[in-house]
Amino acid sequence: MSWPMRTAIASSIVVAALAAFPGAASAKRGPVTGSLSAKGYTLIALGYNGKATSVQVKGKFKLVPPAKKFTLHLRAASGKYAGPVVVGGNGSSVIVGLKSGGNLGKLKLGHGFARPAKSLPASMVDKSRTAKARKGVPLGAGRYGLVKIATRGAASGPGVDPDHDGVPNAFDVDDNGNLVIDNQDPASSVKARKAQGLPAPASGDTFQLFSNFHFDVSQTLNANAGGVTQQQIDAALTDPSGFVGLVFPVPQADSVELDCGGLSYCSLGGTGYSGEPYPTGLPFPGSFDQDGDGFGTITVGQTGDFQLKTRAPSDKIGSGDTFIERVTSGGVEHDLTGVLNYIFNTTPAARDYSVGGDAPTTISYPVPQGAAGTRSNPLVLHPDSSGDLTMGFDFWRPQGRAIPGTGEGDGFVDIGGLQYQVNVPNAPVSFGAGPGGTAATRGPQTCGSGAVSSSDPSFAPVQSGPSDPNAPYALRDTAADRPADPANTLSFKVDFTKCLAQAGLVLQPGQSFGFEIQARSEVNDNADQGFTVCLPEAGKTSCAGQGPPAP
């Protein structure tokens, strides 16, 4: 079963956005020139004001910066962020700021950074823009900014570097240096900034990209489930019938092209497909590259954004993937650029479940088609001692890949800090309904606090309307990221009688519905495990023979 991508505001990429700037003003800023012997790199100039320009490097380069003061950054041929250009300093403090114009000479590559082979004249260097370093290397270099470091200064804006690790917000997966990836960090959210009296990013100054990972229980794989292999996880990630992908907001402009460098899932000949037309999509960027420059044009789809099905194995997509949107308005082009914080490689996965207070039933993974909980064989509900239809779950967190050099290890990481919800997107349908039968209508969506409960010490409640038991409700995991381990479980209980009642619905005998255990970041990355359940007809203990449920 495919679980469609959902539209929402935001997640895994914080992107530097620009207002179009006049060509005459650009002409007053002298170009930055130099050379780089390595092939396939892209040089990105990021203004302190968040504006950006870029150029593909083919030996020698020439790039007009977007502002009078800026930093320079490299994207490798692979499409990964390759770090800042250091222009001065040494030891524990380096200079990364530049003033418009001048010859950098030959750039020498280091691990996660670069520097000119020769000292630059003082007229080119902005000594006020520094970064903490170790032996002349910015602390954030090679780690995409995921490093423990005290924050100084305002955090707002893609061109600033509040934790002074050398990696500005547009490319930093941990802006405030607290070792919590930004899209999992409540302290980095717009809501948190407002509560602290800090300015939220202005409209048009930033936009965010987020990831979706939706699978039915028969497709679900989790690194903590016994017997699940890397090959099986990669098969799920690349499955054309599944929804594993990225969601790009599209700014209003005459044209927006997506430049992914060498990323295999959104460059020519790669694995990427558009989310529309549903369900197969079209090859990306090939089917979207009318001018033949290798960059696909992205437009707003029915979901209000552009959705990309990546079909990429876990070693081909992840933290540090760097995107450039080339935006043209009124004949003037400007760039939006940033990095992917992370992407889910697995979904949350129930280790076991209990129905109506019964003893737990352990789930064996991979779950075959037709097993209990799938659409053709729903789990059978029955009332608990209070007369309600309830289920309890012990489940594993979803995983992502560790960021090398950060202490996360070198394999899969149980992702902490996520919010967990129970979603019932559609109302119950008759369990024999086919074409022309009972159509599913809108369900309660996210169950309210009156329907979800937990005594798990790792959970803290999150609720948009504390006094309203029907308000959308989530449980936030207070644990941090850590290496994947089957002992790392969470638990909660859901009362479907109360959840359905929040939408004025009652499950009738002979009806079924699907629900999702959803993990969601602060900025709406989301990963789901889906189940189907049913209530047997009177006098029956199972739903066998009642026919498959409606789609």
Side-chain angles (χ1 to χ4, degrees), residues 268-297:
L268 284 175
T271 60
Y273 275 71
S274 62
E276 297 178 11
Y278 180 82
T280 57
L282 296 170
F284 185 89
S287 296
F288 299 81
D289 184 19
Q290 296 180 352
D291 58 8
D293 62 358
F295 308 141
T297 298

Side-chain angles (χ1 to χ4, degrees), residues 125-446:
V125 176
D126 178 12
K127 294 183 179 180
S128 70
R129 189 64 179 266
T130 62
K132 293 182 178 180
R134 183 175 293 112
K135 296 181 179 180
V137 180
L139 294 183
R143 305 175 182 180
Y144 311 129
L146 186 60
V147 59
K148 182 68 173 178
I149 187 170
T151 300
R152 292 186 295 160
S156 182
V160 301
D161 180 17
D163 57 4
H164 289 242
D165 62 359
V167 183
N169 290 351
F171 304 108
D172 197 335
V173 303
D174 176 20
D175 292 353
N176 58 10
N178 65 352
L179 288 183
V180 179
I181 288 181
D182 288 336
N183 51 337
Q184 297 162 225
D185 188 359
S188 295
S189 69
V190 171
K191 182 178 180 180
R193 289 187 56 75
K194 289 181 177 179
Q196 298 169 40
L198 298 172
S203 176
D205 284 346
T206 61
F207 77 89
Q208 296 170 308
L209 172 152
F210 64 100
S211 60
N212 286 268
F213 197 126
H214 301 271
F215 278 129
D216 176 78
V217 63
S218 64
Q219 298 170 308
T220 297
L221 294 169
N222 187 284
N224 290 328
V228 172
T229 66
Q230 175 72 60
Q231 289 74 21
Q232 289 169 329
I233 289 174
D234 284 340
L237 285 167
T238 57
D239 184 356
S241 68
F243 270 88
V244 181
L246 306 177
V247 179
F248 292 83
V250 182
Q252 292 185 350
D254 298 335
S255 174
V256 182
E257 290 187 316
L258 182 62
D259 172 1
C260 296
L263 296 173
S264 65
Y265 53 86
C266 54
S267 56
L268 284 175
T271 60
Y273 275 71
S274 62
E276 297 178 11
Y278 180 82
T280 57
L282 296 170
F284 185 89
S287 296
F288 299 81
D289 184 19
Q290 296 180 352
D291 58 8
D293 62 358
F295 308 141
T297 298
I298 60 175
T299 56
V300 175
Q302 294 182 3
T303 52
D305 44 36
F306 179 80
Q307 300 190 350
L308 178 70
K309 297 174 67 174
T310 55
R311 302 188 184 182
S314 60
D315 64 344
K316 298 295 184 182
I317 184 170
S319 302
D321 290 359
T322 303
F323 306 90
I324 299 172
E325 285 191 359
R326 303 191 180 279
V327 181
T328 302
S329 296
V332 178
E333 181 181 296
H334 61 276
D335 292 349
L336 318 180
T337 185
V339 298
L340 184 65
N341 277 193
Y342 70 86
I343 189 171
F344 290 111
N345 283 183
T346 64
T347 71
R351 184 189 69 183
D352 55 61
Y353 65 87
S354 58
V355 177
D358 293 347
T361 297
T362 300
I363 299 176
S364 179
Y365 290 91
V367 176
Q369 288 284 348
T374 59
R375 290 180 62 202
S376 61
N377 184 18
L379 286 169
V380 177
L381 298 178
H382 63 77
D384 63 12
S385 58
S386 300
D388 288 344
L389 302 173
T390 60
M391 290 188 71
F393 292 92
D394 295 305
F395 62 94
W396 292 298
R397 298 165 174 86
Q399 287 94 26
R401 298 288 295 191
I403 298 177
T406 62
E408 290 190 326
D410 57 2
F412 287 110
V413 172
D414 286 338
I415 300 175
L418 300 172
Q419 296 182 27
Y420 289 86
Q421 301 174 327
V422 178
N423 294 329
V424 182
N426 297 315
V429 296
S430 297
F431 188 64
T438 303
T441 56
R442 188 175 180 85
Q445 302 299 302
T446 302

Side-chain angles (χ1 to χ4, degrees), residues 56-124:
Q56 290 181 310
V57 178
K58 298 178 181 179
K60 294 182 179 181
F61 59 80
K62 181 179 181 179
L63 174 64
V64 176
K68 291 182 178 180
K69 293 184 178 181
F70 58 96
T71 53
L72 288 174
H73 304 270
L74 288 168
R75 179 179 67 180
S78 64
K80 291 282 188 182
Y81 178 63
V85 176
V86 173
V87 296
N90 52 50
S92 61
S93 179
V94 294
I95 301 170
V96 291
L98 282 165
K99 299 175 184 178
S100 180
N103 185 4
L104 297 172
K106 183 179 179 180
L107 293 182
K108 296 178 62 176
L109 292 173
H111 178 61
F113 75 106
R115 68 169 71 245
K118 296 181 180 181
S119 297
L120 299 180
S123 60
M124 290 183 63

Side-chain angles (χ1 to χ4, degrees), residues 456-503:
D456 193 314
S458 293
F459 273 143
V462 179
Q463 189 173 354
S464 58
S467 62
D468 182 1
N470 297 335
Y473 182 77
L475 296 164
R476 177 182 285 121
D477 179 15
T478 58
D481 290 1
R482 51 187 164 172
D485 186 333
N488 297 341
T489 59
L490 295 166
S491 63
F492 68 75
K493 178 181 177 181
V494 56
D495 187 323
F496 288 117
T497 299
K498 291 183 172 63
C499 181
L500 291 172
Q502 289 165 359

